[in-house]
Each structure stands twice: as C-alpha cells, then as structure tokens.
Amino acid sequence: MSQWFETVAEAHRRARKRLPKSVYKALVAGSERGTTLQDNIAAFGEIGFAPHIANLPAERDQRTEVMGQEVASPVLISPTGVQAVHPEGEVAVARAAAEAGVAMGLSSFASRSIEDVVEVNEQTFFQLYWVGDRERVLARAERAKKAGAKGLILTLDWCFAHGRDWGSPPIPEKMDLRTKLGFAPQGLLRPRWLYGFLRHGLPDLTTPNMVPPGEQPPTFFGAYGEWMFTPPPTWEDLAWLRERWDGPMAIKGITRPDDARRAVEVGADAISVSNHGGNNLDSTPAAIRLLPAIAEAVGDDVEILLDGGVRRGSDVVKALALGAKAVLIGRAYLWGLAAEGQAGVRNVLDILHSGIDSGLLALGRSSVHDLRPEDVIVPEGFTRAAG
C-alpha cells in the first residue's frame, strides 16, 4: 500500500521527485507564458455541482462506447510522444489501460511500435500527424490497421509554438555517449529513474511508427523536423484520407463550432475538443469552456471527446454533463507512469473511475449516459465560442 496514491496530485508530486529535471519540465510545460495550460485546469474548478440527497442509485454504470469500442469507463489514454518517464513507456501504459478496460491512444511519435502496443491492448487507436505527402500518411495508417488498430486520431492542434517563458527543457537529438555524459548529473540525482533505465537500456528517442517495420526509425527531432516542414493539411486532404480509411476516425484539436461542422462534413466519426494540453497557441481558452458551444453545434452528428486539464473523476463528470462522450487524459497518466510504472497508470485510472462513481451517486444518475447540463452550475460568462 505504500506504493498506492489516492489522488492524481499525489502522482504528480511523486513524479516530480523521481524524474530528472529536464524530463519533468518537458511534461509540465505549456507554450509561451502558460495561460492556456493554467486555464485548462482552473476552469474545471469554476463549474459547480447540484447534488441530490435521496432516491440515489444503488448501482452506477460507467460503460460506454467510443468510436465503436465498448469501454469500461469514459476515459481514454491520449496519445503522447516519446516517453522517457519509464523504460517500458507506452507498453506499460497500454497494459494498465487494458486491465482497466479502457482504450489506448498511441502517438506516431511514440517510443514503442504500434505492433508492440496492440499486442497488449487490442483497443488501441493510432494517432497521426500530417507528416510527409499523402501516400506516406496513408502508409502509416495502413500499417496501423494491419497491426490491429481500431481507429485513427488525426491530431491538428499544433502550431509549433514551442517557446516557453520559463525556459524550454533541453531535449537531445539522440542519446549518444556525449549526450549521456552530459545528462549524467541529472540522472545521478534521480537514482531510481536511472536504475530503471540502466536495467532496460537508456531511451534512444526514436520514433518507430514513422517508417515501415524493419527500417531505421528517425529520431524524435528528425520526425519533428519533417513535420515542421510539411505543408499543413487542407480540408480536402482530410476528406481524401477519410475516403481511404475504412475504420473510425477522430479529428483532434477542435476549438470552434465552424471547424466542428467542417469535421462532420468530411466524415469524422468523432472530434476532440482540445488545445493540445496548453501546448498549442497560448491564450486559447480551456477546452471545457469551448465544449458547450461545440456540443450545441454538432452534438447530434458526431461523438465529442474532450482533452485538456482532466485531473479528477469529477472533471470527467462535468465534461460529460456539458456534452462530451468521453475524455482523454495525458499528463495524469504520465505522472502515474513516472511514479510507479504500469501500476501507477492503473492507479490513476482507478482514481478517475472512483471519482466518476461518486459524482454519479451524488447527482442521482445511474449511468454516465444520463448526465445532463442541469447537473452542473456554470457561472455566467464561463463559456467561450468563436467562428
């Protein structure tokens, strides 16, 4: 029980103690001065609940379906790039998600291959960045399908705003001997983290999902650089991919009702209301502030997900009450992974599951599908809408 933590905040504290400074800063930082990053979290605290006291349901059900996958809870693993927080990386996360009965999102820039991850969690969605020409994008999607991915998450909420007022952590191009020696002092100050990687081999910061199996994968910065110099996709590009991908497809990064409508027009099965965890264009409002207007615009036409700032089960309940079908979590599970590996990720998922159950009980709802806007108190001026 000494390894167990009761809140995501405690997982965060443990991760900070365990991770080298550069790795930790890469997880917590947002773009520019962090206005969006902070608002993602603070906005949930502005929403209140209206609980009941009698006729409460003795049993509550969190099961739902997202992009054709039946899941035990409306919480999905958001895809995140190369993970240096734990030697097993995305495979450990995928195992924990499978244990909890939730779906896994795997990044194109992940440190483990789609084949490795699907092997331990069949409910895996593969995330695509628009890198390279159409044929290369489609080739990565087809590889994911062959491996068993259940759907695509096309991430578009990124404008390469990587400047940070408090300083960007140094991320090496590759882990050669010189780099390892340079980072050695940080590692020595975090012996548990260092020991774990020495047992499994230090991370090589490559992206195996960016090339066909068997080819030498590019480094993270190699893949990132190609992405930077690839022309951004058009709506025609998205429609082209939709025509050629015969499985479920989500478009991630929606902040405006007009973009949400366009996503529906090109055939998206789901959209994610997201600002890339505060790492896109700073001063974009919190995702939860943008959700109600988008749900009003397209809520009957597409599954709506929310990504950004979720730290508690009560946050999930608020998002569902305001129109989301499910949420994606990023930093929360990475802190669990850093703190206690696979068990830490499962711990985080259990915390959220318990918090959702408490919310359903207090609100008198027997299912996550029963949550409604009247279950929450939204202050005047809280929501934002554009376009």
Side-chain angles (χ1 to χ4, degrees):
M1 292 301 293
S2 63
Q3 296 178 330
W4 181 263
F5 42 85
E6 295 185 351
T7 65
V8 173
E10 175 58 24
H12 185 181
R13 285 189 287 269
R14 295 189 188 187
R16 184 171 188 172
K17 289 181 178 180
R18 184 162 187 170
L19 293 175
K21 183 178 180 180
S22 293
V23 178
Y24 174 75
K25 288 182 69 176
L27 288 186
V28 299
S31 60
E32 297 184 339
R33 65 179 179 181
T35 299
T36 298
L37 172 67
Q38 296 168 22
D39 196 36
N40 270 347
I41 300 169
F44 278 105
E46 297 179 26
I47 302 172
F49 283 122
H52 295 283
I53 59 170
N55 292 340
L56 304 182
E59 297 181 357
R60 282 81 58 193
D61 186 3
Q62 296 187 31
R63 291 174 297 175
T64 190
E65 182 177 305
V66 179
M67 293 175 64
Q69 295 300 300
E70 294 183 3
V71 289
S73 180
V75 177
L76 284 69
I77 297 296
S78 188
T80 59
V82 172
Q83 295 176 4
V85 301
H86 189 274
E88 289 190 299
E90 295 86 358
V91 169
V93 177
R95 288 198 196 102
E99 288 178 354
V102 303
M104 171 79 183
L106 181 71
S107 173
S108 289
F109 291 171
S111 60
R112 301 297 293 268
S113 72
I114 179 66
E115 291 81 9
D116 287 347
V117 169
V118 170
E119 184 177 355
V120 299
N121 190 334
E122 294 181 354
Q123 291 185 302
T124 294
F125 298 118
F126 184 66
Q127 177 268 343
L128 277 176
Y129 289 114
W130 198 271
V131 181
D133 58 24
R134 285 182 171 186
E135 285 65 34
R136 292 186 62 194
V137 171
L138 183 59
R140 288 192 290 274
E142 290 177 340
R143 173 188 172 181
K145 188 169 187 65
K146 182 179 180 181
K150 302 302 184 184
L152 289 181
I153 301 173
L154 187 59
T155 298
L156 303 176
D157 53 341
W158 190 263
C159 64
F160 304 102
H162 52 75
R164 292 161 174 160
D165 288 8
W166 50 88
S168 297
I171 301 175
E173 168 67 26
K174 56 184 177 180
M175 291 300 290
D176 54 19
L177 178 60
R178 182 176 180 179
T179 301
K180 291 175 182 178
L181 290 174
F183 277 83
Q186 289 191 42
L188 292 172
L189 290 173
R190 296 292 186 267
R192 288 184 63 199
W193 177 89
L194 181 61
Y195 175 69
F197 275 102
L198 288 176
R199 287 180 58 199
H200 294 83
L202 288 170
D204 53 12
L205 299 180
T206 60
T207 55
N209 294 305
M210 293 299 294
V211 294
E215 291 190 13
Q216 179 63 35
T219 64
F220 172 78
F221 273 105
Y224 187 88
E226 184 182 5
W227 179 29
M228 285 186 70
F229 292 103
T230 297
T234 64
W235 286 109
E236 289 73 20
D237 288 325
L238 305 185
W240 174 87
L241 181 61
R242 172 69 278 184
E243 290 174 0
R244 285 154 181 80
W245 172 262
D246 61 359
M249 186 175 84
I251 294 179
K252 179 178 178 290
I254 301 293
T255 61
R256 301 163 55 110
D258 54 349
D259 277 354
R261 296 187 191 98
R262 291 296 299 271
V264 171
E265 290 172 4
V266 300
D269 300 281
I271 59 173
S272 176
V273 180
S274 170
N275 50 49
H276 214 101
N279 279 292
N280 194 34
L281 186 62
D282 200 26
S283 296
T284 302
I288 191 67
R289 296 189 193 278
L290 301 166
L291 175 63
I294 292 171
E296 182 179 358
V298 298
D300 295 330
D301 303 320
V302 69
E303 292 182 7
I304 300 177
L305 312 176
L306 179 131
D307 187 330
V310 174
R311 301 291 186 270
R312 301 167 183 82
S314 59
D315 296 339
V316 182
V317 172
K318 292 171 183 178
L320 269 56
L322 292 178
K325 183 76 173 291
V327 305
L328 296 102
I329 60 169
R331 289 182 178 90
Y333 80 78
L334 288 173
W335 292 332
L337 180 66
E340 298 295 342
Q342 177 180 334
V345 178
R346 178 60 192 272
N347 194 159
V348 165
L349 292 171
D350 287 346
I351 289 169
L352 297 178
H353 191 277
S354 177
I356 295 169
D357 185 68
S358 294
L360 291 175
L361 174 62
L363 295 171
R365 302 299 191 185
S366 59
S367 168
V368 291
H369 299 286
D370 298 332
L371 290 165
R372 296 291 182 271
E374 55 264 32
D375 293 321
V376 294
I377 302 168
V378 179
E380 184 177 354
F382 174 84
T383 60
R384 306 285 189 273

